[in-house]
Each structure stands twice: as structure tokens, then as C-alpha cells.
Amino acid sequence: MFDSRMLTLDALPFLWPYALCAVVAWLAGSVPFGPVVTRLAGRGDLRSAGSGGTGATNVLRIAGRVPAAATLLLDFGKGLAAVLAAEDAGGPDLAIVASLFVVLGHLFPPWSRFRGGKGVATSLGVTFALSWPAGLCAVAAWLAAVALTRISSVGGLFQAVAVPFFVWFFTRDPQYAAVIALVSLLVFVRHHANIRRLIRGREPVIGRPP
């Protein structure tokens, strides 16, 4: 998929679709569904309540199951839609670009001083867009880890570790596997505070206040 023309200045006209795709995917990923859904539910500012996170887990704590499910589906959907739209517009190369930048947009939204969510649901949407069997395996891994531990972050971390192997197994595409590995690394790094709490035994359990 990589073209050597991308390494020269003469390639600027060739590169503009990739740059445009990156910007559009980043902006799509930056849409703050968690805070929006929580405000619509009449629960105020999500970032100043619970754990302060913007994902479905904190929405569950603050606003309940229905807003949390809506947030999960919307965050998942923006990852799925961005990659599918990019692939439809320009093929696998643009899909790879969108896969990375839609997650970056979720993690670093310009509307929230570049402080976003953890990227689990959005990265799952990206995985489904690249390979739906790998996506199903990733969801199964997440659900199994959460069911065993009742800790949301453990599910996110477990699926982040496992999903590059799932994508490689089902696609045998090194570039798909590489971009998912990079996305998973970003998700893993974004959980740095959760990892510290897990080590100390202080990570919140689902259904209990943080």
C-alpha cells in the first residue's frame, strides 16, 4: 500500500487526500458524546463528577445505564463510520489513516483542551471496520475480562493487548495489524492512571462509586 512517491516534494498533490482524511477523522473522533449525552440527561458536567472520565463507564456512574449505552454506541459508531467512509472514498490506505486519527481525535479533542476519553469504544469501532471477526473477538475479550473482574479498565486493557493479534489472524494484513497495534498502544498509555490504581488495588469496581 505504501508508495515511494510519498517521500518526495513532488508528492504533495498525491498526499493531500491523506492529510484531508486525517483532519476529518480527527475532528469526527473529537465529538464529545459522553459529556453531551450526560448533559442531555440532565446530569451536568461529566468531567467534574465521578472519575472525571468522558467514557461510558463514568456516564454509567453519573447518568445510568441508558445514557451509558448511548455513549458506548456513539463512541463505537464514530470509529466505525470514519474508517468505513475513508475506505469507501479512497480504499485501504485512507482507511488506515482514518483508523489512527479518529482515535487520536477521541483521545485529544480540541474542544476539551485535548483531554478526551480512553478510546476503548472508538478503537473497537475501528477494529470492526477493518475486520468484523476481529471486532467480535475483541468485544468477547473485553466482556470476558470485565465479567471476571468487574473492572472496566481491565476489559479495555485486555482487549487492547489482544486485538492486534485478532486483526493479524483474520486479515493477514501487516498494515492493518500495525495501525491497530499503534491504536492499542495509545489506548494502553491513556490508561496510565488506571494501571497505577490497579497496582495499588484502588481501581473502581463497576457498580461502586470511584
Side-chain angles (χ1 to χ4, degrees), residues 143-198:
L143 289 174
V146 172
L148 287 171
T149 65
R150 295 184 62 204
I151 300 175
S152 179
S153 62
V154 172
L157 290 167
F158 184 65
Q159 72 86 22
V161 171
V163 73
F165 298 99
F166 296 146
V167 171
W168 171 250
F169 179 81
F170 286 107
T171 70
R172 289 297 193 269
D173 188 312
Q175 294 194 78
Y176 279 3
V179 75
I180 284 295
L182 181 54
V183 165
S184 294
L185 178 61
L186 289 169
V187 171
F188 206 92
V189 170
R190 192 65 181 81
H191 280 77
H192 61 90
N194 304 83
I195 294 170
R196 288 198 296 270
R197 288 194 295 268
L198 284 168

Coordinates of all heavy atoms in Angstrom, one line a residue, residues 143-198:
L143 N -15.6 -8.3 27.2 CA -16.7 -8.7 28.1 C -16.2 -9.8 29.1 O -16.6 -9.8 30.2 CB -17.8 -9.3 27.2 CG -18.6 -8.3 26.4 CD1 -19.6 -9.0 25.5 CD2 -19.3 -7.3 27.4
A144 N -15.3 -10.7 28.6 CA -14.8 -11.8 29.5 C -14.0 -11.2 30.6 O -14.1 -11.6 31.8 CB -14.0 -12.8 28.7
A145 N -13.1 -10.2 30.3 CA -12.3 -9.6 31.3 C -13.1 -8.8 32.3 O -12.9 -8.9 33.5 CB -11.2 -8.7 30.7
V146 N -14.1 -8.1 31.8 CA -15.0 -7.3 32.7 C -15.8 -8.3 33.6 O -16.0 -8.0 34.8 CB -15.9 -6.4 31.9 CG1 -16.9 -5.7 32.8 CG2 -15.0 -5.3 31.3
A147 N -16.3 -9.3 33.0 CA -17.2 -10.3 33.8 C -16.4 -10.9 34.9 O -16.9 -11.2 36.0 CB -17.7 -11.4 32.8
L148 N -15.1 -11.2 34.6 CA -14.3 -11.9 35.6 C -13.8 -10.9 36.7 O -13.7 -11.3 37.9 CB -13.0 -12.5 35.0 CG -13.2 -13.7 34.1 CD1 -12.0 -14.1 33.4 CD2 -13.7 -14.9 35.0
T149 N -13.6 -9.6 36.4 CA -13.0 -8.7 37.4 C -14.0 -7.6 37.8 O -13.8 -7.0 38.9 CB -11.8 -8.0 36.8 OG1 -12.2 -7.2 35.6 CG2 -10.8 -9.0 36.3
R150 N -15.0 -7.4 37.0 CA -16.0 -6.3 37.3 C -15.2 -4.9 37.3 O -15.7 -4.0 37.9 CB -16.7 -6.5 38.6 CG -17.7 -7.7 38.6 CD -18.4 -7.8 39.9 NE -19.3 -6.6 40.0 CZ -19.8 -6.2 41.2 NH1 -19.4 -6.8 42.3 NH2 -20.5 -5.1 41.3
I151 N -14.1 -4.8 36.6 CA -13.4 -3.6 36.4 C -13.3 -3.2 35.0 O -12.7 -3.9 34.2 CB -12.0 -3.7 37.0 CG1 -12.1 -4.1 38.5 CG2 -11.2 -2.4 36.9 CD1 -10.7 -4.4 39.2
S152 N -13.9 -2.1 34.6 CA -13.9 -1.7 33.2 C -12.6 -1.5 32.6 O -12.4 -1.9 31.4 CB -14.7 -0.4 33.1 OG -14.8 0.0 31.7
S153 N -11.6 -0.9 33.3 CA -10.3 -0.7 32.7 C -9.6 -2.0 32.4 O -8.8 -2.0 31.4 CB -9.5 0.2 33.6 OG -9.3 -0.5 34.9
V154 N -9.8 -3.0 33.2 CA -9.2 -4.3 32.9 C -9.7 -4.8 31.5 O -8.9 -5.3 30.7 CB -9.5 -5.3 34.0 CG1 -9.0 -6.7 33.6 CG2 -8.8 -4.9 35.3
G155 N -11.0 -4.7 31.2 CA -11.5 -5.1 30.0 C -10.9 -4.3 28.8 O -10.5 -4.9 27.8
G156 N -10.8 -3.0 29.0 CA -10.2 -2.2 28.0 C -8.7 -2.5 27.7 O -8.3 -2.6 26.6
L157 N -8.0 -2.7 28.8 CA -6.5 -3.1 28.6 C -6.4 -4.4 28.0 O -5.5 -4.6 27.2 CB -5.9 -3.0 30.0 CG -5.7 -1.6 30.6 CD1 -5.3 -1.7 32.1 CD2 -4.7 -0.8 29.9
F158 N -7.2 -5.4 28.4 CA -7.1 -6.7 27.9 C -7.4 -6.8 26.4 O -6.6 -7.4 25.6 CB -8.0 -7.7 28.6 CG -7.9 -9.1 28.2 CD1 -6.7 -9.8 28.4 CD2 -8.9 -9.8 27.6 CE1 -6.6 -11.1 28.0 CE2 -8.8 -11.1 27.2 CZ -7.6 -11.8 27.4
Q159 N -8.4 -6.1 26.0 CA -8.7 -6.1 24.5 C -7.7 -5.3 23.8 O -7.4 -5.7 22.6 CB -10.2 -5.5 24.3 CG -10.4 -4.1 24.5 CD -10.0 -3.2 23.3 OE1 -10.0 -3.7 22.1 NE2 -9.7 -2.0 23.5
A160 N -7.1 -4.3 24.4 CA -6.0 -3.5 23.7 C -4.8 -4.4 23.4 O -4.2 -4.3 22.3 CB -5.6 -2.3 24.5
V161 N -4.5 -5.3 24.3 CA -3.4 -6.2 24.1 C -3.7 -7.3 23.1 O -2.9 -7.6 22.2 CB -3.0 -6.9 25.5 CG1 -2.0 -8.0 25.3 CG2 -2.4 -5.9 26.4
A162 N -5.0 -7.8 23.1 CA -5.3 -8.9 22.3 C -5.7 -8.5 20.8 O -5.4 -9.3 19.9 CB -6.5 -9.6 22.9
V163 N -6.2 -7.3 20.6 CA -6.8 -7.0 19.3 C -5.8 -7.0 18.2 O -6.2 -7.4 17.0 CB -7.7 -5.7 19.4 CG1 -6.8 -4.5 19.5 CG2 -8.6 -5.6 18.2
P164 N -4.6 -6.6 18.3 CA -3.7 -6.7 17.2 C -3.5 -8.1 16.7 O -3.4 -8.3 15.5 CB -2.4 -6.1 17.7 CG -2.8 -5.2 18.8 CD -3.9 -5.9 19.4
F165 N -3.5 -9.1 17.6 CA -3.3 -10.5 17.2 C -4.6 -10.9 16.5 O -4.5 -11.7 15.5 CB -3.1 -11.3 18.4 CG -1.8 -11.0 19.1 CD1 -1.8 -10.2 20.3 CD2 -0.6 -11.4 18.7 CE1 -0.7 -9.9 21.0 CE2 0.6 -11.1 19.3 CZ 0.5 -10.3 20.5
F166 N -5.8 -10.5 16.9 CA -7.0 -10.8 16.2 C -7.0 -10.3 14.8 O -7.4 -11.0 13.8 CB -8.2 -10.3 17.0 CG -8.4 -10.9 18.3 CD1 -9.0 -10.1 19.4 CD2 -8.1 -12.2 18.6 CE1 -9.2 -10.7 20.6 CE2 -8.3 -12.8 19.9 CZ -8.8 -12.0 20.9
V167 N -6.6 -9.0 14.7 CA -6.6 -8.4 13.3 C -5.6 -9.1 12.4 O -6.0 -9.4 11.2 CB -6.3 -6.9 13.4 CG1 -6.1 -6.3 12.0 CG2 -7.4 -6.2 14.1
W168 N -4.5 -9.4 12.9 CA -3.5 -10.2 12.1 C -4.0 -11.5 11.7 O -3.9 -12.0 10.5 CB -2.2 -10.3 12.8 CG -1.2 -11.2 12.1 CD1 -0.8 -12.4 12.5 CD2 -0.5 -10.9 10.9 NE1 0.1 -13.0 11.6 CE2 0.2 -12.1 10.6 CE3 -0.6 -9.9 10.0 CZ2 1.0 -12.2 9.4 CZ3 0.2 -10.0 8.8 CH2 1.0 -11.1 8.5
F169 N -4.6 -12.2 12.6 CA -5.1 -13.6 12.4 C -6.2 -13.6 11.3 O -6.2 -14.4 10.4 CB -5.7 -14.2 13.6 CG -6.2 -15.6 13.5 CD1 -5.4 -16.7 13.5 CD2 -7.6 -15.8 13.3 CE1 -5.9 -18.0 13.3 CE2 -8.1 -17.0 13.1 CZ -7.3 -18.1 13.1
F170 N -7.1 -12.6 11.3 CA -8.2 -12.6 10.4 C -7.9 -11.9 9.1 O -8.6 -12.2 8.1 CB -9.4 -12.0 11.0 CG -10.1 -12.9 12.0 CD1 -10.0 -12.6 13.4 CD2 -10.8 -14.0 11.6 CE1 -10.6 -13.4 14.3 CE2 -11.4 -14.8 12.6 CZ -11.3 -14.5 13.9
T171 N -7.0 -11.0 9.0 CA -6.7 -10.2 7.8 C -5.4 -10.6 7.1 O -5.2 -10.4 5.9 CB -6.7 -8.7 8.1 OG1 -5.5 -8.4 8.8 CG2 -8.0 -8.3 8.8
R172 N -4.4 -11.0 7.9 CA -3.0 -11.3 7.4 C -2.5 -10.0 6.7 O -1.6 -10.1 5.8 CB -3.0 -12.5 6.5 CG -3.2 -13.8 7.2 CD -2.0 -14.1 8.2 NE -2.0 -15.5 8.6 CZ -2.6 -15.9 9.7 NH1 -3.4 -15.1 10.4 NH2 -2.6 -17.2 10.0
D173 N -3.0 -8.9 7.1 CA -2.5 -7.6 6.5 C -1.6 -6.9 7.5 O -2.1 -6.5 8.5 CB -3.7 -6.7 6.2 CG -3.4 -5.5 5.4 OD1 -2.4 -4.8 5.8 OD2 -4.0 -5.2 4.4
P174 N -0.3 -6.8 7.2 CA 0.6 -6.2 8.2 C 0.3 -4.8 8.5 O 0.6 -4.3 9.6 CB 2.0 -6.4 7.5 CG 1.7 -6.6 6.0 CD 0.4 -7.2 6.0
Q175 N -0.2 -4.0 7.5 CA -0.5 -2.6 7.8 C -1.7 -2.4 8.7 O -1.8 -1.6 9.5 CB -0.7 -1.8 6.5 CG 0.6 -1.8 5.7 CD 0.6 -0.8 4.5 OE1 0.7 0.4 4.8 NE2 0.4 -1.2 3.3
Y176 N -2.7 -3.2 8.5 CA -3.9 -3.2 9.4 C -3.5 -3.6 10.8 O -3.9 -2.9 11.8 CB -5.0 -4.2 8.9 CG -5.9 -3.7 7.8 CD1 -5.7 -2.4 7.2 CD2 -6.9 -4.5 7.3 CE1 -6.5 -2.0 6.2 CE2 -7.7 -4.0 6.3 CZ -7.5 -2.8 5.7 OH -8.3 -2.4 4.7
A177 N -2.7 -4.7 10.9 CA -2.2 -5.1 12.2 C -1.3 -4.0 12.9 O -1.4 -3.8 14.1 CB -1.4 -6.4 12.1
A178 N -0.5 -3.4 12.0 CA 0.4 -2.3 12.6 C -0.4 -1.1 13.1 O -0.1 -0.6 14.2 CB 1.4 -1.9 11.6
V179 N -1.4 -0.7 12.4 CA -2.1 0.5 12.8 C -3.0 0.2 14.0 O -3.1 1.0 14.9 CB -3.0 1.1 11.7 CG1 -4.2 0.3 11.4 CG2 -3.4 2.5 12.0
I180 N -3.5 -1.0 14.1 CA -4.3 -1.4 15.3 C -3.4 -1.6 16.5 O -3.7 -1.2 17.6 CB -5.1 -2.7 15.0 CG1 -6.3 -2.5 14.1 CG2 -5.5 -3.4 16.3 CD1 -7.3 -1.6 14.8
A181 N -2.1 -2.1 16.2 CA -1.2 -2.1 17.3 C -0.9 -0.7 17.9 O -0.8 -0.5 19.1 CB 0.1 -2.8 16.9
L182 N -0.7 0.2 17.0 CA -0.4 1.6 17.4 C -1.6 2.2 18.1 O -1.5 2.8 19.2 CB -0.1 2.5 16.2 CG 0.2 3.9 16.4 CD1 1.3 4.1 17.5 CD2 0.6 4.6 15.1
V183 N -2.8 2.0 17.6 CA -4.1 2.4 18.3 C -4.1 1.8 19.7 O -4.5 2.5 20.7 CB -5.3 2.0 17.5 CG1 -6.6 2.1 18.3 CG2 -5.4 3.0 16.2
S184 N -3.9 0.5 19.8 CA -3.9 -0.2 21.1 C -2.9 0.3 22.1 O -3.1 0.5 23.3 CB -3.7 -1.7 20.9 OG -4.7 -2.3 20.1
L185 N -1.7 0.7 21.5 CA -0.7 1.3 22.4 C -1.2 2.6 23.0 O -1.0 2.9 24.1 CB 0.6 1.5 21.6 CG 1.8 2.2 22.4 CD1 2.2 1.4 23.6 CD2 2.9 2.4 21.4
L186 N -1.8 3.4 22.1 CA -2.4 4.7 22.6 C -3.4 4.5 23.7 O -3.5 5.2 24.7 CB -3.0 5.5 21.4 CG -2.0 6.1 20.4 CD1 -2.8 6.5 19.1 CD2 -1.2 7.2 21.0
V187 N -4.3 3.5 23.4 CA -5.3 3.2 24.4 C -4.7 2.8 25.7 O -5.1 3.2 26.8 CB -6.3 2.1 23.9 CG1 -7.2 1.6 25.0 CG2 -7.1 2.6 22.7
F188 N -3.6 1.9 25.6 CA -2.9 1.4 26.8 C -2.3 2.6 27.6 O -2.4 2.7 28.8 CB -1.9 0.4 26.4 CG -1.6 -0.6 27.4 CD1 -2.2 -1.8 27.5 CD2 -0.6 -0.4 28.4 CE1 -1.9 -2.8 28.5 CE2 -0.3 -1.3 29.3 CZ -1.0 -2.5 29.4
V189 N -1.6 3.5 26.9 CA -0.9 4.6 27.5 C -1.9 5.5 28.2 O -1.7 6.0 29.3 CB -0.1 5.3 26.5 CG1 0.5 6.7 27.1 CG2 1.1 4.5 26.1
R190 N -3.1 5.7 27.5 CA -4.1 6.6 28.0 C -4.7 6.0 29.3 O -5.3 6.8 30.1 CB -5.2 6.7 27.0 CG -6.2 7.8 27.3 CD -5.6 9.2 27.2 NE -6.6 10.2 27.5 CZ -7.0 10.5 28.8 NH1 -6.5 9.9 29.8 NH2 -7.9 11.4 29.0
H191 N -4.5 4.7 29.6 CA -4.9 4.1 30.9 C -3.9 4.2 32.0 O -4.0 3.4 32.9 CB -5.3 2.7 30.6 CG -6.7 2.5 30.0 ND1 -7.0 2.7 28.7 CD2 -7.9 2.1 30.6 CE1 -8.3 2.4 28.5 NE2 -8.8 2.1 29.6
H192 N -2.9 5.1 31.8 CA -1.8 5.1 32.8 C -2.3 5.2 34.3 O -1.8 4.6 35.2 CB -0.7 6.1 32.4 CG -1.3 7.5 32.4 ND1 -1.3 8.3 33.6 CD2 -1.9 8.3 31.5 CE1 -1.8 9.5 33.3 NE2 -2.2 9.5 32.0
A193 N -3.2 6.1 34.5 CA -3.7 6.3 35.8 C -4.5 5.1 36.3 O -4.3 4.7 37.5 CB -4.7 7.5 35.9
N194 N -5.2 4.4 35.4 CA -5.9 3.2 35.8 C -4.9 2.1 36.2 O -5.1 1.4 37.1 CB -6.8 2.7 34.7 CG -7.8 3.8 34.2 OD1 -7.4 4.6 33.4 ND2 -9.0 3.7 34.7
I195 N -3.8 2.0 35.4 CA -2.8 1.0 35.7 C -2.2 1.2 37.1 O -2.0 0.3 37.9 CB -1.8 1.0 34.6 CG1 -2.4 0.5 33.3 CG2 -0.6 0.1 35.0 CD1 -1.5 0.7 32.1
R196 N -1.9 2.5 37.4 CA -1.4 2.8 38.7 C -2.4 2.4 39.8 O -2.0 1.8 40.9 CB -1.0 4.2 38.9 CG 0.2 4.6 38.0 CD 0.8 6.0 38.5 NE -0.2 7.0 38.3 CZ -0.2 7.8 37.2 NH1 0.6 7.5 36.2 NH2 -1.1 8.8 37.1
R197 N -3.7 2.7 39.6 CA -4.7 2.3 40.6 C -4.8 0.8 40.7 O -5.0 0.2 41.8 CB -6.0 3.0 40.3 CG -6.0 4.5 40.6 CD -7.4 5.0 40.6 NE -8.1 4.9 39.3 CZ -8.1 5.8 38.3 NH1 -7.4 7.0 38.5 NH2 -8.7 5.6 37.2
L198 N -4.7 0.1 39.6 CA -4.8 -1.4 39.6 C -3.7 -2.0 40.4 O -3.9 -2.9 41.2 CB -4.8 -1.9 38.2 CG -6.1 -1.8 37.4 CD1 -5.8 -2.1 35.9 CD2 -7.1 -2.7 37.9

